[in-house]
Amino acid sequence: MPPPADGLDPADWAEFSALAHRMLDDMIGYLRDARDRPVWQPMPAELRAELRTPLPHAGEGAAAAYADFTRLVVPYATGNTHPGFMGWVHGGGTAVGMMAELLAGALNANLGGRDHAPIEVERQVLRWAAEMLGFPLDASGLLVTGTSIANMIGVLVARTHALGPAVRRTGLQGAPLVAYAAGSVHGCIPRAMEMCGLGLDALHMVPTDAEGRMALPALAAAIAADRAEGRAPFLVVGTAGTVDIGAIDDLAAIAAIARREGIWFHADGAFGALAMLAPALRGKLAGIEQADSVAFDFHKWAQVPYDAGCILVRHAGAQAATFASEAAYLRRETRGLAAGTLWPCDLGPDLSRGFRALKVWLTLKAYGADRIGAVVQESCDLANRLAARVEAEPELERLAPVPLNIVCFRYRAPGLDGAALDELNREIVADLHEMGLAAPSTTVLGGRLAIRAALVNHRITDADTNAMLDGVLARGRARTGRNAPAGGA
Ligand SMILES: *Cc1c(COP(=O)(O)O)cnc(C)c1O
């Protein structure tokens, strides 16, 4: 079939418009009625098989393709739009964010470079991010897929800062660089060390204190020991909100040590950095504004739809010194579309880049930073009330402090301990998932399996955390053959 004169555009725009409006109404309903669905349900094998069919050579048309989306995909999505979703650290998305994806899709802008408004939108978002964190407004930065890649960019900039731009030509040449992070650091930091060619062994894990924060005397001792043995400390990573319990390293003290030692301080604030928008929480992050670089996500606590991460680098020039390179086909002009000196492609690994800035920009403009801050505060208040109920239930045990929005606990049963208790709690969590009731996740704390409820989604209420806890108690009792205590829940 020869293509029509206007390429892939609809032959009948009115017909397309009717379909598009139906898609829009369906998805508005999807968000409006989020709590009427199961949180999650497993995908039936026969439907999964339909997603393993070969490349379609003849198109079936947009309406038929959309029908398959509705049937095969929508009911079996992750579930993080649902207020019962409390696993890992997932944002809930918003109606405005959803529309932003549509608007960005229509413009189909490439934000690798050149001179156009979408790049100015990204720059404004980055200045807002700097303002949020107390960074200088001329800090450089980039929106990226997530904190994993933002952290990797931070590690690379720190490496180039330590060894000078010549390292880009020569490679490490055995430079004995070492970095530091607390044992509670997110797994993407060790992975960044691997991917940057620095090697996992060059990341020295610092023990944590009783609150899950980096033990600072141990950090200072590790740096001194490494120097004595001829190694070159170049980077310390502090975390604002650890992934397991939400602990916040003493960022001001880390900044002071880094300054004294002349090493780069990178802060991983994946979700915790957003606490800067909540006045009562901001103090916990004191020192983040002194970091040399900071990575965080808009797709977690800021509720921007996936994916939207951010890297900010304090020292103008350090990021470009790590990534910028010249290519004839990317030549910069003084006027026209190819104008501009520094393009986003000079600040990170990607050349072609989508307009993910738009959904951040529209979210911040539509709701305002204070409203996002109120969501962050409410998540923490909910977590405190959940923790109080965990403590009040004799069958439950809290397993970690609750500095922010994460509550780690477990069901306990007389006569069960060690591996049996771990297994019981693992089964309880899987039961809740399969019932579609709630979706907490698990972690391991001090060798014990914990049920972990991370309250991130802006739709979560006390009714949702109570339903989750009631579910844990009910499944715990069912699995251990216990009755509910008289007069109890
Ligand atoms: C989620 C998270 C990451 C990874 O971020 P992605 O956006 O998933 O790549 C890194 N560090 C911490 C502390 C996190 O919570």
Side-chain angles (χ1 to χ4, degrees):
M1 202 169 63
D6 40 4
L8 299 175
D9 281 337
D12 181 341
W13 281 100
E15 185 190 348
F16 179 78
S17 176
L19 173 64
H21 281 90
R22 187 152 59 77
M23 290 173 169
L24 183 59
D25 287 337
D26 288 351
M27 297 327 281
I28 289 172
Y30 180 81
L31 291 186
R32 183 191 55 220
D33 304 332
R35 65 174 62 244
D36 300 343
R37 296 185 295 270
V39 178
W40 174 84
Q41 53 184 336
M43 189 170 191
E46 63 277 13
L47 296 187
R48 213 181 281 265
E50 286 194 58
L51 291 180
R52 296 182 180 169
T53 51
L55 174 70
H57 282 277
E60 56 187 332
Y66 177 61
D68 276 353
F69 168 75
T70 302
R71 191 172 58 88
L72 298 175
V73 182
V74 174
Y76 312 105
T78 322
N80 52 308
T81 52
H82 192 288
F85 193 100
M86 302 168 194
W88 305 276
V89 180
H90 277 44
T94 66
V96 167
M98 173 178 83
M99 295 315 301
E101 293 281 55
L102 176 84
L103 305 179
L107 292 191
N108 190 27
N110 183 340
L111 278 79
R114 292 155 292 270
D115 185 20
H116 50 97
I119 286 194
E120 291 303 327
V121 169
E122 178 159 350
R123 290 184 179 134
Q124 178 159 50
V125 165
L126 292 165
R127 278 193 302 273
W128 287 346
E131 215 177 303
M132 220 173 89
L133 297 180
F135 256 50
L137 296 186
D138 64 352
S140 73
L142 203 59
L143 293 184
V144 291
T145 45
T147 293
S148 300
I149 192 75
N151 278 333
M152 185 178 168
I153 289 173
V155 169
L156 273 174
V157 174
R159 175 217 63 174
T160 308
H161 177 78
L163 298 179
V167 66
R168 295 175 58 182
R169 203 168 1 91
T170 63
L172 290 173
Q173 297 206 318
L177 297 183
V178 282
Y180 307 87
S184 54
V185 76
H186 191 273
C188 66
I189 292 288
R191 234 152 35 86
M193 293 292 289
E194 293 175 23
M195 293 188 291
C196 293
L198 294 155
L200 207 47
D201 291 347
L203 180 64
H204 290 187
M205 292 300 195
V206 181
T208 51
D209 65 16
E211 303 291 304
R213 297 146 52 102
M214 184 188 291
L216 297 170
L219 170 64
I223 293 172
D226 281 324
R227 286 207 201 281
E229 290 173 35
R231 287 185 281 268
F234 82 107
L235 165 70
V236 55
V237 178
T239 302
T242 58
V243 66
D244 52 355
I245 66 168
I248 302 164
D249 286 335
D250 185 339
L251 302 175
I254 293 176
I257 292 174
R259 205 175 309 115
R260 190 178 74 218
E261 298 286 345
I263 66 183
W264 190 273
F265 168 30
H266 174 80
D268 175 355
F271 66 97
L274 268 291
M276 290 298 278
L277 295 183
L281 298 172
R282 194 177 294 148
K284 292 179 183 245
L285 275 65
I288 198 170
E289 75 288 349
Q290 299 174 46
D292 294 300
S293 53
V294 56
F296 71 98
D297 283 319
F298 284 108
H299 59 215
K300 291 177 173 172
W301 241 346
Q303 315 292 331
V304 170
Y306 286 90
D307 46 30
C310 184
I311 173 79
L312 286 181
V313 178
R314 164 182 304 280
H315 320 276
Q319 197 176 356
T322 306
F323 291 102
S325 54
E326 286 174 28
Y329 49 86
L330 295 176
R331 195 184 136 83
R332 317 299 153 87
E333 305 293 350
T334 52
R335 60 194 189 86
L337 178 55
T341 45
L342 205 61
W343 286 357
C345 66
D346 297 321
L347 299 173
D350 295 312
L351 175 53
S352 294
R353 307 173 60 252
F355 194 8
R356 59 168 69 86
L358 183 64
K359 57 195 172 182
V360 182
W361 191 74
L362 279 177
T363 296
L364 290 171
K365 279 174 73 72
Y367 299 106
D370 293 353
R371 182 109 178 260
I372 302 297
V375 165
V376 167
Q377 183 66 55
E378 175 59 12
S379 301
C380 295
D381 294 347
L382 277 166
N384 280 321
R385 295 193 291 271
L386 173 60
R389 190 173 160 210
V390 165
E391 276 156 37
E393 293 283 355
E395 291 158 83
L396 302 177
E397 177 182 14
R398 183 166 62 82
L399 292 182
V402 182
L404 287 172
N405 58 332
I406 300 175
V407 183
C408 292
F409 65 100
R410 66 175 173 177
Y411 186 83
R412 53 183 176 189
L416 282 190
D417 56 15
L421 203 49
D422 287 354
E423 187 55 21
L424 172 64
N425 279 278
R426 194 176 285 117
E427 295 293 342
I428 289 172
V429 168
D431 286 347
L432 297 185
H433 292 182
E434 289 184 350
M435 292 159 71
L437 181 76
S441 56
T442 62
T443 189
V444 176
L445 296 171
R448 298 183 296 183
L449 186 109
I451 300 176
R452 177 177 162 287
L455 311 181
V456 183
N457 182 330
H458 60 99
R459 300 185 182 97
I460 301 175
T461 65
D462 288 300
D464 301 300
T465 55
N466 282 328
M468 184 272 296
L469 222 50
D470 290 344
V472 168
L473 290 169
R475 291 314 302 155
R477 288 165 191 158
R479 286 191 165 274
T480 55
R482 272 160 114 185
N483 295 318

